[in-house]
Amino acid sequence: MKELPIHIQLNPDGEKCLYEQIYEFIRQEIRNGNLLQNEKLPSSRYLAEYLQVSRTTVDMAYGQLVSEGYLEARPQKGYFVCAIEELYDIKTEAAGVQRQKEDADSKESYAYDFSPNKIDMSLFPYATWKKITKNILVDAKSSMFALGEPQGDLELRTTICRYLHASRGVNCKPEQIIIGAGNDYLLLLLEKILGRHVPIAMENPTYKRAYQIFCSFAYPVSLIPMDESGIQMDALKKSGAQVAYVMPAHQYPTGIVMPIGRRMELLKWAKEKEERYLIEDDYDSEFRYRGKPIPSLQASDQYGKVVYIGTFSKAIAPAIRISYMVLPEKLLEKYHQNCGFYSSTVSRIDQTILNEFIRDGYFERYLNKMRKHYRMKHDMVMNELHHFEKDFHISGENAGLHVLLTDKRGRSEQELWELAKKAGIKVYRMSDLRMDQKSPVKEETAENATIILGYASLSQEQIVEGLRLLFQVWQ
């Protein structure tokens, strides 16, 4: 056995997690030919003891290498390097592109990345997920490898239906739920259901990817300004839109939680015409830090006007790539007519794993743990941001996984962003999420120069150190 541990240099304070460092080291050794085909690696227990890390950390690294085809796990024998020839065949064409991406990333290296889109995977129950996966594959029948229902397996839709009713007050039947590999696919289905060239209204600023998808449909998109309660109703009424895309539980990126009065106004607007609908994107409603959980907009819908979309990417893991859409009865009929022949984009094995993860209570326990974990990070962020209150207005802190800092001194977002970048800190500008391309972005003022700070993926130490460094460079 090659004495692999001697050469691994782990950096506990580095930007990457320990399991990522182990994974990348072994992957590079295989690519470079230093680890040969059928060569046995140290056991996870031995490697964990040698590196003074948890065995789970090593298992995560080995598991990722197995899933990517670099290693093979042989029962009762250990981990072995896969065929090098196959790896070389895979990488020849893509290697150049990948190197370009890695080179570009290396040029923009940051000590602290306050991304609002990343989450913390350090507490994910990998052992439980692996156990469920193993049991399912051991007991798998031939039916599990069949195509399955277009809307997704009935068992998972039933489980999601119960979960949504209990957690978000959503009123639906399993027959109304469609499961897809990410929100992109569900929005593509919506275009077939709603029809072509449908005028749509979006909050501004908004979720950029959804805006780009709607534009690709050739939908006329009206960008509606927001006030302290969310989308402005007067502007919405004047827009001529047929559909409104909103995020009432926690608007991205402003963090606004839409009050019940504005929700009722939206539902009234949708009710006024038969062809009007609301798309409710409930992307991270699981994480709320003040007050009681707010029911979904769909929970108040008595006329079948709300299309409810959710995802497990924030609550479980981005790689799960399982989202769901709840259609009103009238649109469900159009779905069956126009796209009921589309095959499901999520494998039945993944659906079965997720179903058991939720049904057997693992998801609820994990979610409770993450709520507590994120609450601790949230409180730490808010404690550190007390030092910023003289120069910034802080908002969006009641829910979600990011906060907003609006400058009081008249500085521009570009100026604040560049100061942070020079200090090795990556922050995000609100102006990048304002979609109105017709008028150039004006020099930001104290009213609109806003920085987005996400904290989910950072450790507690990184949060404290990063914010203290930001405070110094922004003084």
Side-chain angles (χ1 to χ4, degrees):
M1 182 193 306
K2 183 180 286 286
E3 293 296 328
L4 181 64
I6 295 177
H7 305 291
I8 299 182
Q9 299 292 330
L10 297 182
N11 181 9
D13 300 321
E15 184 178 353
K16 294 183 178 180
C17 303
L18 293 177
Y19 93 89
E20 287 184 289
Q21 296 180 41
I22 298 171
Y23 152 76
E24 290 185 356
F25 175 85
I26 297 175
R27 181 186 65 172
Q28 197 59 44
E29 288 290 286
I30 295 173
R31 286 182 169 184
N32 293 342
N34 296 328
L35 290 172
L36 304 178
Q37 179 181 347
N38 292 324
E39 190 164 358
K40 185 178 181 182
L41 270 69
S43 68
S44 59
R45 184 187 301 276
Y46 174 79
L47 189 55
E49 290 177 356
Y50 186 91
L51 296 175
Q52 294 296 295
V53 298
S54 70
R55 189 175 178 183
T56 302
T57 299
V58 178
D59 284 336
M60 287 166 57
Y62 277 179
Q64 184 66 28
L65 290 163
V66 170
S67 66
E68 293 184 11
Y70 289 98
L71 297 182
E72 175 189 2
R74 299 178 185 174
Q76 309 300 322
K77 293 183 179 181
Y79 293 94
F80 294 81
V81 178
C82 289
I84 298 298
E85 293 79 11
E86 295 178 9
L87 294 176
Y88 285 150
D89 289 340
I90 291 172
K91 76 176 187 178
T92 48
E93 184 174 348
V97 176
Q98 182 63 31
R99 278 197 298 271
Q100 290 177 8
K101 291 181 179 179
E102 291 173 352
D103 291 343
D105 292 340
S106 65
K107 293 177 183 177
E108 296 290 342
S109 59
Y110 295 89
Y112 307 97
D113 184 356
F114 285 88
S115 171
N117 301 315
K118 297 179 180 179
I119 65 171
D120 190 343
M121 292 297 296
S122 63
L123 299 181
F124 184 77
Y126 292 95
T128 299
W129 194 270
K130 288 168 64 177
K131 178 182 176 182
I132 294 174
T133 303
K134 180 180 178 181
N135 292 340
I136 287 173
L137 292 176
V138 167
D139 299 331
K141 300 178 181 178
S142 58
S143 60
M144 187 175 294
F145 297 92
L147 194 57
E149 301 176 65
Q151 289 181 235
D153 284 358
L154 179 59
E155 288 188 16
L156 177 57
R157 286 188 280 129
T158 301
T159 299
I160 291 175
C161 187
R162 292 172 179 168
Y163 163 71
L164 290 178
H165 184 71
S167 64
R168 304 292 297 124
V170 172
N171 299 307
C172 67
K173 298 177 291 186
E175 291 77 15
Q176 293 175 255
I177 296 177
I178 299 171
I179 296 169
N183 286 10
D184 295 4
Y185 170 74
L186 298 178
L187 293 179
L188 287 169
L189 283 183
L190 263 184
E191 192 231 359
K192 306 297 182 185
I193 297 168
L194 296 172
R196 304 185 66 183
H197 310 299
V198 173
I200 189 166
M202 299 186 74
E203 302 154 319
N204 195 27
T206 191
Y207 178 42
K208 188 173 183 178
R209 190 170 186 84
Y211 172 79
Q212 292 171 326
I213 290 173
F214 289 135
C215 288
S216 73
F217 297 159
Y219 275 7
V221 180
S222 298
L223 296 165
I224 310 299
M226 301 179 65
D227 57 27
E228 66 278 359
S229 297
I231 191 169
Q232 292 183 7
M233 291 306 302
D234 289 342
L236 174 61
K237 292 174 182 177
K238 294 176 182 177
S239 69
Q242 181 175 319
V243 176
Y245 173 92
V246 293
M247 294 168 274
H250 184 239
Q251 202 275 341
Y252 183 82
T254 64
I256 292 173
V257 178
M258 187 180 291
I260 187 66
R262 184 61 53 85
R263 293 169 182 239
M264 292 300 102
E265 288 184 84
L266 268 176
L267 289 170
K268 181 181 178 182
W269 172 84
K271 178 190 171 185
E272 289 173 353
K273 293 188 178 181
E274 184 178 354
E275 70 274 9
R276 284 183 181 171
Y277 289 95
L278 301 170
I279 302 174
E280 178 181 13
D281 188 343
D282 206 13
Y283 71 100
D284 73 347
S285 60
E286 292 88 357
F287 306 112
R288 180 169 173 78
Y289 309 113
R290 293 184 184 177
K292 297 180 180 180
I294 297 176
S296 65
L297 180 65
Q298 197 269 3
S300 302
D301 178 24
Q302 300 178 6
Y303 304 99
K305 289 294 185 176
V306 177
V307 177
Y308 181 88
I309 294 180
T311 178
F312 293 105
S313 293
K314 287 277 189 180
I316 300 181
I320 298 300
R321 298 298 298 161
I322 298 180
S323 297
Y324 48 87
M325 176 168 64
V326 180
L327 289 176
E329 294 287 354
K330 288 185 178 179
L331 293 185
L332 185 62
E333 295 176 9
K334 291 186 177 180
Y335 164 79
H336 288 301
Q337 292 172 3
N338 301 334
C339 34
F341 55 87
Y342 284 105
S343 300
S344 175
T345 53
V346 182
S347 80
R348 300 194 68 198
I349 294 175
D350 289 341
Q351 291 186 58
T352 306
I353 295 169
L354 179 60
N355 180 61
E356 291 198 14
F357 188 70
I358 301 173
R359 185 197 64 196
D360 295 347
Y362 297 111
F363 177 52
E364 182 179 2
R365 290 193 287 274
Y366 174 60
L367 199 53
N368 289 335
K369 183 188 296 184
M370 292 310 298
R371 284 193 184 109
K372 182 178 179 181
H373 186 61
Y374 284 142
R375 177 60 185 263
M376 187 164 52
K377 289 188 177 184
H378 166 271
D379 292 347
M380 185 172 293
V381 168
M382 297 311 299
N383 183 61
E384 291 297 322
L385 289 181
H386 283 311
H387 305 297
F388 292 71
E389 291 177 345
K390 178 182 176 182
D391 299 319
F392 293 90
H393 172 68
I394 301 165
S395 60
E397 72 276 15
N398 293 335
L401 301 174
H402 70 272
V403 295
L404 306 177
L405 272 64
T406 302
D407 187 68
K408 297 179 181 179
R409 289 166 48 184
R411 293 174 291 183
S412 70
E413 288 179 8
Q414 185 66 22
E415 179 183 354
L416 295 170
W417 181 81
E418 288 179 354
L419 287 170
K421 181 180 179 182
K422 289 179 181 178
I425 303 173
K426 189 171 186 179
V427 298
Y428 297 78
R429 297 165 292 202
M430 176 71 82
S431 59
D432 291 335
L433 299 173
R434 291 192 179 98
M435 299 299 125
D436 190 359
Q437 301 298 325
K438 294 180 181 180
S439 59
V441 177
K442 299 178 181 179
E443 185 70 11
E444 298 89 351
T445 65
E447 182 181 353
N448 60 13
T450 301
I451 296 295
I452 306 169
L453 293 180
Y455 53 83
S457 64
L458 296 173
S459 67
Q460 297 178 36
E461 294 77 11
Q462 288 174 323
I463 289 172
V464 173
E465 294 169 5
L467 288 178
R468 289 180 180 176
L469 189 55
L470 266 184
F471 178 72
Q472 294 174 10
V473 300
W474 283 349
Q475 287 303 299

